[in-house]
Every structure is written in C-alpha cells, then in structure tokens.
Amino acid sequence: MRNPLVLPVYVPTFILAFGRGMLIPILPLFAGSFEVSYGLVGLVLASQGIGNLIGDVPAGVMAGRIGQRRSMLLGVAAVAISTLAMSWARSAPELVVYGLVGGLGTALFNISRFAYLANTTTVARRGRAIAVFGGITRMGTFAGPVVGGAIGLWLGLRAPFVLFAIVAAVAVTLVAIFADETDEAATVARGGLRGHSTHLWTIIKTHHYNLATAGSGRLMAQMIRAGKQIIVPLFGAEVLGLDVQQIGLILSLSSAIDMSMFYPAGLIMDHYGRKFAYVPSFLLQALGMALIPFTAGFTGLLSAMLVVGFGNGLGSGTMMTLGADLAPAESVGEFLGLWRLIGDTGQAAAPIVVGAVTDLVGLSVATWIIAGAGLAAASILGLTVPETLKSHTKETQAPAS
C-alpha cells in the first residue's frame, strides 16, 4: 500500500529542508559581501523568520478558505520564486524583502502541509507520521550545509540560491501531482480533521485553555530548542576556547543522535502516549543545557550536547502532533496558525533573551535560563495538558507501508 504522505508531503519537506540547509553557510557571507553592517546582515538572516511569524495566522486562515492543496502549492511556489530572486539581488535590503516573501511562503506551506498530514492520518498513527516528518526535516537540514558550502566554493555564492530554486520547483511539481484535495467525508471517516473556516476570535474564546496551557509549554519548548543553537557556539568559543571545527563537530554529533530518534519517538507517542515522549524530551534537554556551565573542554561540552541531542530527538514531532490532536475539527487551519505563531514566537525570542541576559550577567546564567525554559516546558505540558492519545478509542490500524 502506497503511503499517501511520501510524495506530496515528505519528499517536498526534505527538499525544502535541504535547500534551507544549503543556505546556512552561504547567506551570511552573501549578505556580508555587500559591505554592510553586522546589524543589517543580522536583519537579512532574520527576515525569513520575521516573514514566517507575520504569516502564521493569515496562513491558517487561508488554508481554511482555499484548501490545503492549493495553500501548499502557493507556499512552495513563493519559496522557490523568492529564493531565485535572492540569486540576482544587488543589495542587502533586497535580500531582506525576498527573505520576508520566502518567510510568508514558508508559513503557508508549514500550516497547510501540517493540516494535510493531520487529515490523512488517524489519531493512533499520527505520532509516527509526524515524527517521520520531523526526522526528514532534520536530515535535510543536516545534509544541506555541506553541499551548499561546496557549491558556493566551486561556483560562487549565488549558485546555491539557484539550485535551491530548482529543487523547490521539483517540490511544487510533486505537490501539484500527488496531493489530493481533502474530502470531508473521507477525512472524518478515518479520524482526521475537517477544514471549515471559523473566526479567529471564536477559536481563541472557545479554546483559550489549551492555547494558554499547551501554548505556554510550546513557547518554552521552542525557546530551549532555539537557545541551544546560540549558546553552544558562544560558550565553546568564548569560554572553552574551542575552534570552529571542534564546535561544528560537537553540533554535528549532537544532530546525528537527534536524527536517529525520530521513529522511536513516533512509536512512543502512538503506543504509550504523547506525554511519554515530550516530557522526558524537555527534561533531558534541560539537564544537558544545565550541565554546559560545568564543562571544561571539548569532551565535556560534547557529552552535554549528546544528552541534549538525545532529548531533542525523543521530542521529534511531539509539538506538531500535540497541535494536531488539540485542533478543533471545525477550524483546523486557523487553530494551527495560532499554534505555529506561539511556537515561532518562542523561537524568535530565544536569541533576544540569550543576548540580553548575557550582556547583563554572563553566558552561564543565560544557559541556565534556557535550561529553565526546558524544565518549564516539561512541567507545563506534563501537569496542565491532558493526554491527547485516545488510547481507549478502538481504531482499525492500516498496514504499515
């Protein structure tokens, strides 16, 4: 039996994650090549995240209005066009504009593919389906920087943008050919979610408890996930005196452990419950981050980051699965737009928190605060959010493909 998610969701997801990974070592150098300030380079790097943040809620509304397949197509097309435009940019402000457009497209694709994925899986298989989604994203991001760096060295800094646009066009084609329009009757029959449009204020008013409790946990979760990407390079270089190659090796090995855990995470979610995956995940990440100030060299920092990587891998897809479980059947797109907005806010806030706290009281305290965010995520999600796996519901399991 063909998996209905492979070609319309999983392969495009890998392609776009790979493309974003290619640009990780390229975009800062390309922006800097225009001889602008570090502040403007930082704005270029942040532009897609800003566009993503701005687009989360409108993307959810649009997915509810025009359907998930059309939204996926528009989102991927916007990413492809904006990335191609970056290849011919002649100034850093141009890059900021194209980055914003790409971020809006990413938001639309994220929400619509997330809703599509929820609609094509039952509750009992949703954890595995979304965990695989998270693992594929990690693999693409892991593989991309090596290829992007090599192409940038051989063909120039503009070439990786062109290649990203080409592979994104392949993703558009796959979505156009293989993604189905969601049929409400079939969706409900298999335990999925419907896609009617509902006023945002009605959703906030009706589901305020879940948005406040689970949303707070998600915000803290995204803070620790984003915070570690800033703290580890800074602590390794400025406190431990490690070189770039050593820091890169630590991050790569941590990512390798992270990637290896996505399918076990899905099995745990579907067989034992969502909490059995996400509570240990954030506790382990908090423990690993709290150990960093006590490390004295390469081996110590590597050990702490292996704990963090294992914990993050155990949480692969957990927040997306929780969002899909909590989404009301009558307004899945709009709810997921709000859910993504909360998570993206935490991700955007982490660099600001780390920078401000480090300036005031030092990097070690900032590390413990980010570790505290992980502990808060585990506590809030574990104590205030009900288990969303309906283990008592008798569902017919489709054969694994």
Side-chain angles (χ1 to χ4, degrees), residues 21-387:
M22 281 198 302
L23 300 187
I24 288 174
I26 299 299
L27 188 55
L29 301 179
F30 186 52
S33 69
F34 295 112
E35 298 182 354
V36 296
S37 67
Y38 288 120
L40 190 49
V41 171
L43 183 58
V44 170
L45 298 179
S47 59
Q48 181 165 323
I50 295 170
N52 203 339
L53 196 64
I54 294 170
D56 278 333
V57 173
V61 174
M62 183 175 290
R65 295 271 196 271
I66 69 173
Q68 292 145 21
R69 180 178 177 273
R70 293 188 186 93
S71 297
M72 284 196 289
L73 283 170
L74 285 174
V76 182
V79 171
I81 293 169
S82 64
T83 306
L84 182 62
M86 284 183 170
S87 71
W88 65 62
R90 291 294 180 268
S91 70
E94 268 190 83
L95 289 175
V96 171
V97 172
Y98 301 145
L100 288 170
V101 173
L104 293 171
T106 300
L108 186 56
F109 182 58
N110 282 343
I111 300 298
S112 54
R113 67 180 168 177
F114 188 8
Y116 184 89
L117 192 155
N119 277 333
T120 51
T121 55
T122 62
V123 172
R125 295 185 63 84
R126 185 173 293 151
R128 278 164 286 180
I130 296 181
V132 170
F133 171 91
I136 288 171
T137 301
R138 286 162 164 81
M139 284 188 275
T141 304
F142 180 78
V146 176
V147 177
I151 292 175
L153 179 64
W154 296 336
L155 301 177
L157 294 179
R158 296 180 186 270
F161 295 96
V162 177
L163 179 57
F164 186 179
I166 292 171
V167 296
V170 174
V172 172
T173 304
L174 290 172
V175 173
I177 295 173
F178 295 105
D180 298 322
E181 295 291 355
T182 50
D183 176 76
E184 183 175 314
T187 293
V188 174
R190 64 176 167 257
L193 306 172
R194 292 171 289 182
H196 297 315
S197 177
T198 303
H199 196 281
L200 284 174
W201 176 245
T202 302
I203 298 171
I204 294 171
K205 184 170 62 175
T206 306
H207 303 282
H208 64 276
Y209 179 81
N210 284 338
L211 289 170
T213 55
S216 297
R218 174 162 169 72
L219 186 137
M220 293 293 108
Q222 292 305 105
M223 282 194 68
I224 191 170
R225 284 172 162 172
K228 70 174 184 287
Q229 298 175 1
I230 305 153
I231 284 174
V232 174
L234 291 176
F235 192 89
E238 297 182 7
V239 179
L240 301 182
L242 303 181
D243 59 37
V244 174
Q245 185 176 16
Q246 289 175 304
I247 294 170
L249 180 59
I250 288 171
L251 293 173
S252 293
L253 291 173
S254 178
S255 295
I257 295 292
D258 187 338
M259 285 189 299
S260 70
M261 289 298 297
F262 70 87
Y263 197 71
L267 288 175
I268 290 170
M269 280 193 281
D270 285 344
H271 284 286
Y272 300 103
R274 316 313 195 199
K275 289 190 179 189
F276 284 85
Y278 60 64
V279 172
S281 167
F282 296 118
L283 287 176
L284 286 170
Q285 290 182 74
L287 173 62
M289 292 300 295
L291 291 174
I292 287 177
F294 300 102
T295 60
F298 175 85
T299 303
L301 186 57
L302 174 61
S303 300
M305 285 308 297
L306 291 179
V307 173
V308 172
F310 181 82
N312 197 42
L314 189 60
S316 178
T318 53
M319 293 297 95
M320 290 189 291
T321 302
L322 181 60
D325 289 346
L326 294 173
E330 72 278 5
S331 50
V332 56
E334 292 88 339
F335 184 91
L336 294 181
L338 291 168
W339 186 250
R340 290 282 314 190
L341 177 64
I342 292 168
D344 289 343
T345 299
Q347 188 166 359
I352 299 171
V353 171
V354 171
V357 174
T358 301
D359 284 341
L360 288 173
V361 291
L363 193 54
S364 293
V365 176
T367 303
W368 285 324
I369 287 177
I370 293 299
L375 182 60
S379 301
I380 294 169
L381 294 170
L383 298 175
T384 68
V385 179
E387 175 56 59

